Amino acid sequence: VISHVHGMLSFYTIEKFEKLKEISLSKKAVRFMLYDYSMNCIIFFMNKSVKLFDLETELIKYKLKIEPPKVVSLFGDILYLGYEDGRIVRYEIVKWSLNFIEPEIMTKPHNDSVTSFSFSPNYYVSSSIDMTCVIWNYFHSKIIQLTVPFPIYTVSFHGVKRHLLIGAKDSIMLLKGEFLFGDENWDPE
């Protein structure tokens, strides 16, 4: 699926990239678009709302007004939203709705814009322009906070040992997973 500037969706085949159909979703631009395989829906982030679009019925089944996030990610049935002020907000996707997940500990782990998320089976990581990345467990408890001497634009776990790739303006830094998690603490393959 490709989203056009004025809210039109174009559906293409994967094999030959042939256009199947077009659907008008909105007159406004889509900011982010994610696919949820468990519900067979597309999650659209517009300027001030998020919409769940059912691919079978081609109808919007749910709409929620939200503050526009800077970055969004989907892992399992949880949406992660990062904001310019350093907040992270989470929603659980349940039966064509989004349920706000009450933060257990902190709502603003970064002091500046959240730039990315990455996920492994046991942990996730968030990064920020404030020169920090935070490794969390899935109870949203902070496990490790790293500070580097440059703004972080992206972060990603790499491999079963959870090496951490940290993207700066013009370079990539690699932190070995053994340094962060110990020699024997690996993710299952």
Side-chain angles (χ1 to χ4, degrees):
V1 176
I2 296 174
S3 173
H4 300 264
V5 174
H6 299 290
M8 183 69 72
L9 299 178
S10 296
F11 292 80
Y12 291 86
T13 63
I14 294 173
E15 300 83 22
K16 296 185 180 179
F17 203 66
E18 295 172 338
K19 187 185 290 186
L20 297 172
K21 61 184 166 183
E22 286 190 335
I23 298 172
S24 178
L25 176 72
S26 170
K27 293 181 181 178
K28 297 180 182 176
V30 173
R31 296 188 69 228
F32 302 102
M33 183 170 65
L34 303 167
Y35 175 68
D36 181 5
Y37 66 89
S38 66
M39 295 188 46
N40 194 29
C41 76
I42 299 177
I43 304 163
F44 291 101
F45 287 84
M46 311 303 279
N47 197 32
K48 295 182 181 178
S49 67
V50 59
K51 300 176 181 181
L52 302 182
F53 180 79
D54 184 351
L55 286 168
E56 297 209 12
T57 64
E58 296 181 0
L59 296 172
I60 295 171
K61 291 240 180 148
Y62 183 79
K63 180 179 176 181
L64 177 68
K65 291 188 181 219
I66 61 164
E67 181 183 341
K70 180 75 173 169
V71 63
V72 300
S73 287
L74 175 66
F75 186 73
D77 60 353
I78 307 293
L79 277 172
Y80 295 80
L81 285 61
Y83 287 91
E84 287 189 14
D85 65 359
R87 285 179 295 132
I88 295 174
V89 174
R90 298 174 301 146
Y91 289 92
E92 182 179 19
I93 303 170
V94 179
K95 296 183 183 178
W96 295 107
S97 67
L98 298 177
N99 295 340
F100 177 73
I101 300 173
E102 211 47 62
E104 293 87 358
I105 298 178
M106 63 181 62
T107 58
K108 192 177 168 192
H110 296 286
N111 294 321
D112 205 337
S113 185
V114 177
T115 54
S116 71
F117 298 101
S118 183
F119 304 91
S120 78
N122 297 310
Y123 303 98
Y124 73 97
V125 61
S126 60
S127 65
S128 173
I129 293 295
D130 72 359
M131 301 186 241
T132 65
C133 60
V134 179
I135 298 173
W136 310 85
N137 64 21
Y138 286 105
F139 298 106
H140 199 60
S141 297
K142 187 190 292 188
I143 305 299
I144 301 169
Q145 180 167 336
L146 301 168
T147 302
V148 295
F150 48 81
I152 302 172
Y153 292 98
T154 189
V155 66
S156 181
F157 284 121
H158 179 67
V160 296
K161 292 188 178 183
R162 287 187 301 266
H163 301 308
L164 193 61
L165 298 171
I166 299 174
K169 183 177 178 182
D170 54 6
S171 62
I172 297 173
M173 176 183 195
L174 171 73
L175 286 176
K176 295 215 175 245
E178 301 87 28
F179 171 74
L180 298 169
F181 300 100
D183 290 331
E184 302 299 320
N185 191 350
W186 299 1
D187 276 335
E189 288 189 51

